[in-house]
Amino acid sequence: MTTKADELAPRRLLRRLRDVMASSGKAQQKLDSVVTLIAADMVAEVCSTYLCRAGEVLELFASKGLKPTAIHHTRLRLGEGLVGHIAATAKPLNLADAQTHPDFAYRPETGEEIYHSLLGVPILHGGRVVGVLLVQNRSRRLYSEVDLELLQTIAMVLAELAASGDLVPRDELFPVEGNVVLPLRLEGTPLNPGLAMGSAVLHQPRIELRDLVAEDPEKERARFEEALDKFHSALDELLTAADIVIGSEHREILETYRMFAQDRGWLGRINEAIGSGLTAEAAVQKVQEETRVRMESITDQVIREKLHDLDDLAHRLIQHLTGQENTAATADLPDDVVLIARNMGPAELLDYDSQKLRALVLEEGSPTSHVAVVARTLDIPVLARVKGVLEKVDPLEPVIVDCDNAQLFVRPSEDVQQTFAESMRVLAARQARYAETRHLPAVTADGVSVSLNMNAGLLVDLKDIEARGADGIGLYRTEILFMVRPRFPNVEEQTELYRSILDQAGDRPVTFRTLDIGGDKRLPYFLADSDIEENPAMGWRALRIALDRPQLLRQQARALLHAAAGRRLRVMFPMVAEVAEYMAARKLLEMEVSRARRRGEKLPDKIEIGAMLEVPALFWQLPTLLKHVDFLSVGSNDLFQFFFASDRGNPRLSGRYDVLSPASLSFLHALVRQCDARNVPVGLCGEMAGQPLDAMVLLGLGFRILSMPPPAIGPVKAMVLSLRLAELAGYLETLGDLPDHSLRDKFRAYAMDHEVAI
Ligand code: PEP
Ligand code: MG
């Protein structure tokens, strides 16, 4: 329990310290004045500051009481002597007789042998020890709790000065081995392939505290209470929102936040820090720094995660208290942003100017996290699970993200930079060559026209139609809109988005795929944890959800009809397993058409309804299905995972089966033959359509409509322009019933021999 008198003395000292800090002197002069002030105020015969330097060394930077000649001469290794002990453990020491401590190291140049008692605390910044502050006295005394608290508070104020770069050069302050600035190579898990170089941008910028010392603790407490109250009400609002499912992961995170925001120990420590004269934000920071240090030594994953949550909470409170609530998205950004975050929501990623985004690096993240799905549609490389990246990278440092080799280079050396720059130049030159062909129609060397379309899922993708020379959008994944929102978009919101997509596409056709949620695309506001399935890819997803919750599909159909009024509307249903399902979905759409007609609403000029072929069973009902569809689109990603019973997201299985195998090719060939016989257009919109070699084979099998990720259009068009299709079809006939695992090598050899650009 602290008394009024206990509170007053520290505040007086802090005020004086603040005046010294705000003065115009050099950093070293300020530090000299600070130790003198502390010594006088705490009635200590010695007050010294050691700062960490390159090579894990602590150097005496300022002292009142020790011999002046020792300043900048006395150095101790991390772990050496009591100062080294405090720095290594990041914990305070309070000793009545320091010389009897086993770690005591006698340094004759300092003249400290006459001092017995010692109180020392680490100076922490960004979860790291940047120095040590200590007081000493001749008499054998134990310092009080109040003294300890005061010294810790002063250390907090000093931390800003120590980390400012004015005392120890900034390049010695980086948290790398030996405290020197070495290039680092960190490993991660790629969630989207690719290569990028750029400048590091921290999604949550480190907050610079301008005001550390406050005049009136009552006022600071009130500020803190107010911030906490606001935080509580925001949490309560979120928690009671009808669309957060009980037991969902989302809810669990919010509950954890609330638990910490009510934690007495945590609140008590913040209150104490405010009492000692810190501003509310500095008090939260002080407690947060201590928590971070604790985090370092905890190996239990669950506790670590909880402490991480606490760290997040503190960060949010500081943001709130300092009014610096923005993420880096609103800052002035470099042109080559490599965004670094612990984790982030998909909507937060979309706040960034996509023209400037080069890559995303996450400390956490998983392949199914929505931010990864969105990053994929933006076509930027994503490297996840990069341990400790937030602490190891400073803003605007050069970084290279190499997802193809699962690595991140921080401050890469000149030769590493040159090697990667060369690879990127080659890639860029190739893209430039593709750009030159964007106005050419995709016609093979022997005169067969092919329709090359792009897959999209966000409005930003649409800029690519023109730039890449796509004929249309062959697959618009509507679920992405649902994933970047905190709740279901209503009919008006959906209408607006679909309308702007059609506006931007102009005369080019857009094929909207109805909601494909479930499976790996879980919406936190829709599916609860209890809905987690053992086998989600084959679970309650896509059309199955739409048929069980017809309102969802009807609302989407309504929005699509509104958006396409007076224009062409193409809609397709995902994951159709049998004709009856397709018919049921089509009926729901037709009910909406009738409703619109009854209400006298303007309808689309033309409505085409199709199905995705992703479930092999549908193949065996083709004669019936083809009577009822306007077109078919093969979703080869899902189709072949079911065809080979091989999870499309499992890295251990990727490459095990090849889509260019005799089995898959004979399946696709039979499919095209049946569609052609009944004059039903059939396209393919899975990833294989974007691989030039695979696309070549698809054309040989008879496909004339392909849809792919936007960057693939250039390379595939180059292949089309160089292909003599009749010859290829003849070659395919010769392959007959081969027993091979894959025909890929044969096709590659064919392409080489026939100068097809693959
Ligand atoms: C597919 O399965 O091939 C497809 C295009 O759909 P998605 O990748 O969105 O599941
Ligand atoms: Mg699919």
Side-chain angles (χ1 to χ4, degrees):
M1 185 69 202
T2 48
T3 66
K4 213 63 196 156
D6 284 342
E7 281 191 355
L8 282 178
R11 283 212 301 278
R12 209 178 40 232
L13 174 57
L14 275 188
R15 219 170 312 142
R16 289 200 198 123
L17 286 181
R18 182 191 53 193
D19 295 343
V20 170
M21 295 295 206
S23 67
S24 56
K26 288 212 167 88
Q28 179 68 50
Q29 288 166 347
K30 290 184 191 175
L31 195 62
D32 294 340
S33 310
V34 166
V35 289
T36 310
L37 264 176
I38 300 171
D41 204 273
M42 292 182 72
V43 201
E45 280 133 345
V46 175
C47 176
S48 312
T49 303
Y50 289 78
L51 296 182
C52 291
R53 304 222 48 171
E56 305 206 318
V57 163
L58 288 140
E59 178 178 313
L60 179 63
F61 255 74
S63 182
K64 165 76 188 158
L66 296 185
K67 289 185 186 159
T69 45
I71 294 169
H72 295 300
H73 284 110
T74 293
R75 289 177 156 218
L76 293 154
R77 284 190 316 280
L78 201 69
E80 182 190 2
L82 297 176
V83 170
H85 177 99
I86 294 167
T89 56
K91 289 200 181 111
L93 264 187
N94 185 358
L95 302 169
D97 197 349
Q99 296 180 19
T100 58
H101 190 283
D103 278 349
F104 179 77
Y106 175 52
R107 285 303 171 90
E109 75 273 16
T110 61
E112 66 182 332
E113 62 276 14
I114 47 175
Y115 304 107
H116 288 284
S117 51
L118 174 147
L119 175 68
V121 297
I123 303 173
L124 303 169
H125 193 266
R128 285 181 283 136
V129 176
V130 292
V132 171
L133 172 67
L134 63 154
V135 288
Q136 290 170 279
N137 280 80
R138 282 174 202 245
S139 59
R140 289 183 174 80
R141 58 174 278 209
L142 258 190
Y143 296 87
S144 68
E145 271 298 306
V146 176
D147 289 335
L148 172 62
E149 186 66 28
L150 176 60
L151 209 58
Q152 281 180 319
T153 304
I154 297 167
M156 154 94 207
V157 178
L158 274 185
E160 296 296 320
L161 186 65
S164 66
D166 295 336
L167 290 164
V168 173
R170 269 197 78 65
D171 57 5
E172 286 190 35
L173 291 167
F174 291 116
V176 292
E177 293 81 67
N179 267 11
V180 284
V181 192
L182 291 174
L184 277 183
R185 183 184 158 277
L186 304 174
E187 292 189 355
T189 308
L191 301 187
N192 202 35
L195 189 64
M197 286 174 90
S199 317
V201 168
L202 304 185
H203 173 55
Q204 298 277 11
R206 289 180 193 146
I207 300 174
E208 297 298 331
L209 294 190
R210 273 171 235 117
D211 300 318
L212 292 157
V213 180
E215 295 289 338
D216 181 355
E218 287 320 313
K219 203 167 126 209
E220 293 308 303
R221 284 203 177 105
R223 284 182 66 225
F224 178 67
E225 293 296 328
E226 192 202 343
L228 205 58
D229 269 358
K230 281 209 180 123
F231 192 76
H232 272 305
S233 0
L235 280 184
D236 287 342
E237 223 168 84
L238 279 172
L239 278 164
T240 48
D243 45 11
I244 292 194
V245 183
I246 294 172
S248 74
E249 193 181 317
H250 204 64
R251 193 183 174 97
E252 210 171 274
I253 293 170
L254 295 176
E255 294 275 17
T256 313
Y257 271 0
R258 191 157 71 171
M259 198 181 83
F260 280 126
Q262 289 167 342
D263 181 290
R264 284 177 171 275
W266 189 69
L267 293 176
R269 274 182 285 142
I270 290 174
N271 256 318
E272 248 168 55
I274 292 179
S276 68
L278 292 179
T279 57
E281 55 268 36
V284 179
Q285 172 124 321
K286 175 173 180 278
V287 175
Q288 186 190 8
E289 290 289 5
E290 288 159 12
T291 310
R292 280 193 183 151
V293 171
R294 265 168 64 203
M295 216 142 72
E296 285 306 305
S297 55
I298 287 172
T299 47
D300 183 290
Q301 198 50 32
V302 179
I303 300 180
R304 269 186 83 95
E305 266 166 30
K306 297 270 182 231
L307 286 175
H308 260 309
D309 287 340
L310 190 55
D311 204 35
D312 269 355
L313 170 63
H315 189 87
R316 276 164 187 251
L317 281 174
I318 296 173
Q319 275 186 322
H320 191 82
L321 285 160
T322 54
Q324 300 173 49
E325 289 187 65
N326 297 332
T327 66
T330 52
D332 213 2
L333 293 175
D335 285 340
D336 54 352
V337 172
V338 172
L339 191 58
I340 304 186
R342 189 142 84 76
N343 218 340
M344 68 198 302
E348 287 178 294
L349 180 64
L350 291 177
D351 284 342
Y352 287 84
D353 177 354
S354 63
Q355 296 295 314
K356 293 182 168 179
L357 271 186
R358 296 287 172 273
L360 174 66
V361 177
L362 299 174
E363 194 154 325
E364 296 169 0
S366 76
T368 53
S369 56
H370 291 174
V371 71
V373 176
V374 171
R376 251 173 254 145
T377 75
L378 292 175
D379 193 43
I380 52 170
V382 183
L383 192 64
R385 312 232 174 107
V386 185
K387 240 179 107 204
V389 62
L390 283 174
E391 281 145 36
K392 291 175 175 151
V393 183
D394 265 18
L396 300 183
E397 282 191 313
V399 283
I400 296 174
V401 183
D402 172 15
C403 282
D404 302 337
N405 297 296
Q407 57 188 352
L408 171 75
F409 292 93
V410 183
R411 304 178 287 277
S413 61
E414 199 51 36
D415 51 334
V416 171
Q417 287 201 39
Q418 270 173 14
T419 313
F420 279 95
E422 189 47 40
S423 310
M424 307 240 343
R425 255 194 300 280
V426 172
L427 288 176
R430 212 178 288 157
Q431 282 301 335
R433 277 204 305 282
Y434 297 142
E436 284 167 16
T437 67
R438 72 171 182 266
H439 298 301
L440 297 179
V443 179
T444 63
D446 52 354
V448 179
S449 283
V450 179
S451 170
L452 300 184
N453 302 275
M454 58 176 240
N455 299 343
L458 290 167
L459 214 46
V460 284
D461 304 340
L462 292 171
K463 290 196 287 296
D464 279 333
I465 301 190
E466 191 64 45
R468 310 274 184 187
D471 293 317
I473 297 178
L475 165 64
Y476 191 89
R477 294 178 161 110
T478 57
E479 62 275 7
I480 307 277
L481 166 70
F482 288 68
M483 283 161 48
V484 300
R485 300 250 166 163
R487 55 174 177 78
F488 276 118
N490 60 27
V491 175
E492 287 70 40
E493 288 164 336
Q494 290 190 56
T495 307
E496 200 183 310
L497 181 91
Y498 303 148
R499 189 177 286 135
S500 50
I501 292 161
L502 289 168
D503 288 347
Q504 292 199 40
D507 293 338
R508 297 172 172 96
V510 179
T511 306
F512 289 98
R513 173 175 74 186
T514 61
L515 260 191
D516 185 9
I517 49 172
D520 59 346
K521 296 176 213 156
R522 298 178 63 238
L523 303 180
Y525 52 83
F526 180 58
L527 288 178
D529 280 357
S530 53
D531 288 327
I532 289 178
E533 299 163 304
E534 287 227 338
N535 216 337
M538 296 199 220
W540 194 56
R541 59 173 284 203
L543 195 59
R544 299 164 186 184
I545 294 184
L547 293 177
D548 290 353
R549 300 275 187 277
Q551 213 45 36
L552 273 181
L553 184 56
R554 286 195 62 170
Q555 286 186 1
Q556 189 169 32
R558 198 174 302 167
L560 286 166
L561 290 169
H562 287 167
R567 312 195 246 200
R568 178 179 179 188
L569 174 63
R570 284 169 64 83
V571 180
M572 65 181 177
F573 303 116
M575 283 288 290
V576 182
E578 53 174 16
V579 174
E581 275 180 346
Y582 169 77
M583 298 305 280
R586 188 178 173 121
K587 193 159 161 222
L588 289 173
L589 179 68
E590 283 166 353
M591 282 162 80
E592 282 302 317
V593 174
S594 309
R595 179 182 182 271
R597 203 170 274 137
R598 270 201 316 278
R599 296 162 66 103
E601 288 168 5
K602 190 170 179 190
L603 283 167
D605 291 344
K606 187 176 181 196
I607 304 177
E608 292 155 276
I609 307 175
M612 287 192 78
L613 197 132
E614 298 181 284
V615 182
L618 196 60
F619 176 84
W620 307 101
Q621 276 201 296
L622 272 181
T624 317
L625 180 72
L626 293 174
K627 285 188 205 140
H628 300 283
V629 291
D630 298 308
F631 63 92
L632 265 192
S633 187
V634 179
S636 53
N637 307 337
D638 274 315
L639 173 66
F640 289 117
Q641 81 165 335
F642 301 128
F643 189 81
F644 290 116
S646 175
D647 183 349
R648 70 191 248 191
N650 184 342
R652 289 176 94 171
L653 295 177
S654 68
R656 180 152 198 116
Y657 302 101
D658 195 346
V659 286
L660 299 186
S661 70
S664 37
L665 297 189
S666 82
F667 181 92
L668 291 174
H669 195 205
L671 171 71
V672 174
R673 270 206 312 263
Q674 293 199 54
C675 292
D676 285 353
R678 287 171 184 82
N679 265 329
V680 175
V682 58
L684 188 141
C685 60
E687 297 300 313
M688 74 180 287
Q691 306 295 326
L693 183 68
D694 300 41
M696 176 191 90
V697 177
L698 291 172
L699 298 184
L701 292 171
F703 281 93
R704 296 293 177 265
I705 306 164
L706 301 176
S707 192
M708 60 202 79
I713 295 199
V716 171
K717 190 182 275 185
M719 178 279 293
V720 171
L721 298 176
S722 63
L723 176 69
R724 281 177 303 278
L725 195 50
E727 275 176 33
L728 174 67
Y731 174 68
L732 272 163
E733 306 251 307
T734 67
L735 295 177
D737 297 327
L738 291 175
D740 302 33
H741 161 69
S742 162
L743 302 178
R744 189 167 291 276
D745 287 345
K746 288 195 167 54
F747 289 125
R748 199 174 286 121
Y750 176 92
M752 297 291 202
D753 292 348
H754 293 77
E755 295 181 336
V756 184
I758 52 161

